[in-house]
Amino acid sequence: MEFASLSEFLEMGGHGPYVWTAYAVTIVIMIANIVSPILKRKAIIKKQAQKLRRERLSQ
């Protein structure tokens, strides 16, 4: 497709809001799929470290 200007490209023949919203939602979901496991892993490691410290103190 050819567009005469940047604003035409952004408007996408009147479908711009739908197209760019779809891109935005996709990017947010992809970022969440990357960040969520990292945060969960850190929380699990922290919880296990606390549990190990408690066990060592109780012995």
Side-chain angles (χ1 to χ4, degrees), residues 10-58:
L10 294 174
E11 290 176 14
M12 296 268 177
H15 300 289
Y18 307 108
V19 172
W20 299 116
T21 301
Y23 275 118
V25 168
T26 300
I27 289 170
V28 167
I29 290 171
M30 290 176 70
I31 290 170
N33 282 332
I34 293 169
V35 172
S36 178
I38 293 169
L39 295 176
K40 286 182 182 181
R41 181 179 184 271
K42 286 182 180 182
I44 290 170
I45 290 171
K46 184 178 177 181
K47 186 176 180 181
Q48 290 298 319
Q50 288 173 346
K51 183 178 178 183
L52 183 60
R53 270 187 248 125
R54 272 188 260 126
E55 288 176 359
R56 285 183 182 166
L57 290 175
S58 67

